[in-house]
Amino acid sequence: MRKRWISLLVTGLLVGGAVAPASPALAAPTFKVPFPCGQSWSGQTRSDHSPAYAIDFNRTDDQGDPVVASAPGTVDRVTDLGGTSYGKYVRIDHGGGYTTYYAHLSGFNVSVGQTVGYGKVIGWVGSTGGSTGPHLHYEQRLNGNDIQARFNGTLALYWGTKTYTSGNGCSSGSGNGTVDTSGTPLTVRSGPGTGYASVGTVADGTRVTISCQTSGTTVTGTYGTSSIWDRIGSGRYIADAYVYTGYDGYIPNVPRC
Ligand SMILES: [Zn+2]
C-alpha cells in the first residue's frame, strides 16, 4: 500500500504543477444550505424575485427557526431596515469578493466583526421588512452582484421550488454502533435497502463505524422498525434497526449520506 500511495502523491504533484496558474484566483467558498445539519427546507427561486437569484426558504412552522452561516467568514453587516426591504438582515463576507445575505430575520445572534464557521447560528427566521410571512430570504453575491446559488458546489434550481437538505455543520466525524441480531449474521447491502445486492455479512456483536446515515427500505429488527440505513464502508450499508447506536433515529452529528 505504501508503494501505491507514493505513486499517487507523485502524480498529484505533477498534475498540480502543470495546471496551477501563476496567480490563482480565489476559489468560491463551499456554500452549504443555511440551516442546521440534517434539516430539509423548501427553496424557491423565481425570475421576478429581487434580486433575481435570491432563494426564499420555507418549512412548516418556520418562524423562529435558527439560520446558520453558509460558509466560514466574517459578519460585516447586522442591520435592521425596519418595515422595508430586508428588515433585519445579516451579511457575511467570505473573502474573495463572496458575500451571503440572510434577510427578514426575527432576531440576531451575531455582531459585526464576528468570525463565524459552518453551522454557526446567526439569527432566526422571521418576517421583518417587506415580508408577508415567515421565510428566509437568502443570497450569494460575488463583488456585490447576486449570483446563482450553489450548495456543496451544486447549482440551485433555477427556476422553481426544490427541497434542500442541509449538510451544514455536520460533524466530519463518524458514529459507532454494535450489530445486534441475536445470533444471525446481518446482511450487508450495496445500497440503503433490501433490494440492493448482498455484498457480505457482519457477525452479531460486531462493532461498526458509521460514516453516514440515510433513509431506505423500512426494516423491523432488534431495535424496532426503522427506515434508517448505516453506511459502514464504501458501497456497504446495514439496516439501523439491527444496530445499537444509543439513539432512536439518526445519530446526532453523523452526516446524511
Ligand atoms: Zn426573497
Side-chain angles (χ1 to χ4, degrees):
M1 293 316 284
R2 179 178 167 79
K3 188 175 181 183
R4 173 76 173 151
W5 181 81
I6 289 168
S7 147
L8 283 171
L9 182 64
V10 169
T11 305
L13 285 171
L14 287 173
V15 170
V19 300
S23 301
L26 284 170
T30 300
F31 292 117
K32 300 192 180 228
V33 174
F35 299 103
C37 176
Q39 291 186 1
S40 291
W41 286 73
S42 176
Q44 183 198 63
T45 57
R46 50 184 196 275
S47 56
D48 65 352
H49 208 167
S50 178
Y53 298 142
I55 303 180
D56 281 347
F57 283 103
N58 277 104
R59 69 172 188 170
T60 305
D61 294 330
D62 50 12
Q63 171 72 32
D65 284 353
V67 173
V68 307
S70 267
T74 304
V75 175
D76 71 347
R77 282 189 202 170
V78 177
T79 303
D80 185 355
L81 297 176
T84 61
S85 185
Y86 291 151
K88 290 181 178 170
Y89 78 100
V90 168
R91 187 174 79 175
I92 300 174
D93 179 354
H94 303 283
Y98 289 92
T99 53
T100 49
Y101 286 68
Y102 312 79
H104 309 310
L105 301 174
S106 58
F108 301 124
N109 195 46
V110 288
S111 50
V112 170
Q114 189 171 341
T115 300
V116 294
Y118 285 121
K120 168 65 184 177
V121 175
I122 58 169
W124 293 276
V125 171
S127 186
T128 57
S131 169
T132 54
H135 70 283
L136 176 69
H137 171 103
Y138 171 82
E139 301 171 22
Q140 293 176 5
R141 294 193 183 216
L142 175 58
N143 299 324
N145 303 309
D146 76 311
I147 54 175
Q148 294 198 330
R150 290 178 178 270
F151 299 111
N152 289 316
T154 302
L155 190 64
L157 175 64
Y158 290 94
W159 310 93
T161 301
K162 178 181 166 181
T163 298
Y164 298 87
T165 298
S166 174
N168 194 337
C170 304
S171 166
S172 57
S174 52
N176 291 295
T178 303
V179 173
D180 184 353
T181 57
S182 304
T184 330
L186 180 62
T187 304
V188 181
R189 301 282 178 177
S190 64
T194 50
Y196 287 88
S198 167
V199 291
T201 58
V202 282
D204 185 22
T206 302
R207 184 90 171 145
V208 292
T209 299
I210 301 166
S211 59
C212 62
Q213 297 180 297
T214 188
S215 67
T217 312
T218 300
V219 170
T220 298
T222 313
Y223 296 101
T225 299
S226 173
S227 61
I228 298 173
W229 285 70
D230 302 329
R231 197 176 97 138
I232 59 167
S234 178
R236 292 171 62 80
Y237 293 81
I238 55 176
D240 189 62
Y242 286 104
V243 183
Y244 178 76
T245 60
Y247 298 94
D248 286 330
Y250 289 102
I251 306 170
N253 300 324
V254 169
R256 299 298 159 268
C257 300

